[in-house]
Amino acid sequence: MHTRRPDGFSRRRALQALVLAGAATALPKGFAVSPQARRLGVALVGLGGYSRDLLAPALQLTRHCRLAGIVTGSPDKVPAWQAEYGIPDSGVYSYDDMHRIADNPDIDVVYIVTPNHLHKPLTLAAANAGKHVWCEKPMAMDAGEAESMVRACRDNKVQLAIGYRMQHEPNTRRFMAMAQERPFGRIVQLRADAGWFGWRQGADDAWRLDPACGGGAMYDMGVYCVNAARYSTGLEPVAVRAWDETARRDIFAGVDETMRFTLEFPDDVIARCVTSFGRNLNTLHVDCERGWYELSPFQSYDGNVGRASDGTRFPAQLGERPRMQAEQMDQDALAILEGRSPRAPGEEGLRDMRVLDAVFASVRQGNERVRVAG
């Protein structure tokens, strides 16, 4: 990241305005809102690569929210962010003084984009400050933490939405509808694989090797598989069996490099899943009585495409990154403005955390079948 000069800052804003105006007609149906609706002020909590490269640029494309503040444990990052986005001193906070955000009327929502072990304490701080919360996945370290996050937001009468960006992607939403429509008959089984080969060595990602921070493939990528298996069937898993297949123990000491797991659903539906930091995996495939359909890739930042056994194609729809993140934040902002539940509320993240708890329990118990808590 580098500091931009004031003249570059102005040009950037002008170009973004032109891009947004030109893209408006291509936005999905239902994206528009009444002109009188105000834009919600969003504070990004955690200024790592995802915030820097995707969320902050996406906020410049949104119609219903705007970047109004930052919260960081790295004060050296602040000057560049202020120069890039014109954030005032009053919109800058540290993790330790984040409670002061309660006194800032320009900030309506905090978006928590930190290592996983900080999700719970920062969510509780934001909720107690009276701010709505958007939290990246995985929601927490375990289901107990997730329950306390849901409770804190409910008690403080603020919304909690989980950053399941795929649930805002049109092809994914079509698959969610097909779980109910059953165009190829009863769902028999599915496969959901999510992973990438090659470990990122940047400072932003070092925590992903630390078990105390929620590192490992299952937390990072496996959540995509769990969530996809649930939304593709419209069912909740009742049991799990899992195998830690980590090969490079010298690098992945204490965290999983590769996890293979099987989810059992009602109606004898089975989901077979693999997640990995050592393999390139990105497919969601659903087998039914009279055919099949799939997305591959199914969880990329853009270009998610698919096909079905009857020749149906699912072309990419949202455009290049960070359009997906802009859609996600706009839809979550609309849920707040319209007083309705977001597409992926805290309870959605909690259900996934119960599955993750069962996955890790199965591994600890020698790959035994473990029931998912209800």
Side-chain angles (χ1 to χ4, degrees), residues 3-216:
T3 303
R4 295 191 186 258
R5 300 173 303 182
D7 59 338
F9 177 82
S10 299
R11 287 197 301 271
R12 190 175 196 273
R13 290 293 179 272
L15 287 171
Q16 286 168 342
L18 289 172
V19 170
L20 183 57
T25 57
L27 293 175
K29 184 178 180 181
F31 201 89
V33 72
S34 56
Q36 64 268 26
R38 69 185 182 90
R39 300 179 74 190
L40 298 179
V42 178
L44 292 177
V45 184
L47 306 182
Y50 193 66
S51 285
R52 180 189 65 233
D53 300 335
L54 290 162
L55 293 180
L59 278 164
Q60 313 313 304
L61 303 177
T62 57
R63 302 176 65 184
H64 309 301
C65 46
R66 59 187 176 82
L67 180 58
I70 53 176
V71 183
T72 181
S74 304
D76 57 301
K77 295 181 179 180
V78 170
W81 277 75
Q82 287 188 297
E84 181 86 7
Y85 296 107
I87 298 169
D89 291 342
S90 60
V92 177
Y93 302 86
S94 70
Y95 297 148
D96 294 333
D97 70 0
M98 187 173 138
H99 61 278
R100 293 193 302 107
I101 212 166
D103 301 320
N104 191 336
D106 290 333
I107 294 174
D108 303 285
V109 184
V110 300
Y111 193 155
I112 297 171
V113 201
T114 63
N116 303 331
H117 70 296
L118 296 176
H119 288 184
K120 175 193 169 183
L122 293 173
T123 293
L124 267 55
N128 290 332
K131 304 301 181 182
H132 300 288
V133 181
W134 299 341
C135 182
E136 260 309 305
K137 61 83 193 163
M139 177 180 180
M141 295 289 286
D142 55 44
E145 288 192 355
E147 288 171 351
S148 68
M149 294 161 67
V150 170
R151 184 167 54 251
C153 291
R154 181 180 62 241
D155 291 348
N156 284 282
K157 296 180 173 55
V158 296
Q159 280 201 11
L160 172 59
I162 309 304
Y164 286 123
R165 57 186 173 82
M166 299 316 306
Q167 292 202 27
H168 300 268
E169 191 273 328
N171 284 334
T172 303
R173 293 193 63 76
R174 181 70 192 115
F175 270 43
M176 295 170 75
M178 291 167 73
Q180 306 302 321
E181 297 166 3
R182 305 291 175 93
F184 296 99
R186 186 179 70 86
I187 295 173
V188 177
Q189 64 180 1
L190 66 88
R191 188 180 83 251
D193 301 334
W196 49 270
F197 180 76
W199 178 247
R200 296 171 292 185
Q201 298 292 340
D204 285 344
D205 296 300
W207 66 269
R208 298 179 197 273
L209 293 177
D210 187 345
C213 295

Side-chain angles (χ1 to χ4, degrees), residues 286-368:
V286 182
D287 284 315
C288 307
E289 291 175 303
R290 300 189 300 275
W292 54 265
Y293 47 95
E294 71 174 19
L295 289 175
S296 185
F298 85 97
Q299 44 82 20
S300 295
Y301 292 143
D302 53 25
N304 297 284
V305 298
R307 59 193 180 120
S309 56
D310 65 354
T312 299
R313 298 286 173 172
F314 303 91
Q317 297 191 52
L318 278 181
E320 296 182 357
R321 65 186 72 179
R323 179 57 63 185
M324 185 186 298
Q325 285 78 7
E327 170 76 353
Q328 170 198 328
M329 290 187 285
D330 260 337
Q331 290 298 331
D332 285 341
L334 276 174
I336 294 170
L337 290 166
E338 296 175 356
R340 56 178 171 79
S341 177
R343 288 178 176 174
E347 290 81 2
E348 176 76 354
L350 170 58
R351 294 184 188 101
D352 280 350
M353 292 314 306
R354 288 171 177 158
V355 178
L356 263 66
D357 285 354
V359 166
F360 292 127
S362 176
V363 171
R364 290 194 302 270
Q365 296 171 25
N367 319 123
E368 290 293 322

Side-chain angles (χ1 to χ4, degrees), residues 191-195 221 225 260 272-275 279 281-285 298-299:
R191 188 180 83 251
D193 301 334
M221 304 293 290
C225 302
R260 185 182 301 276
R272 293 181 172 83
C273 308
V274 180
T275 186
R279 298 170 58 189
L281 304 166
N282 203 337
T283 297
L284 171 60
H285 182 97
F298 85 97
Q299 44 82 20

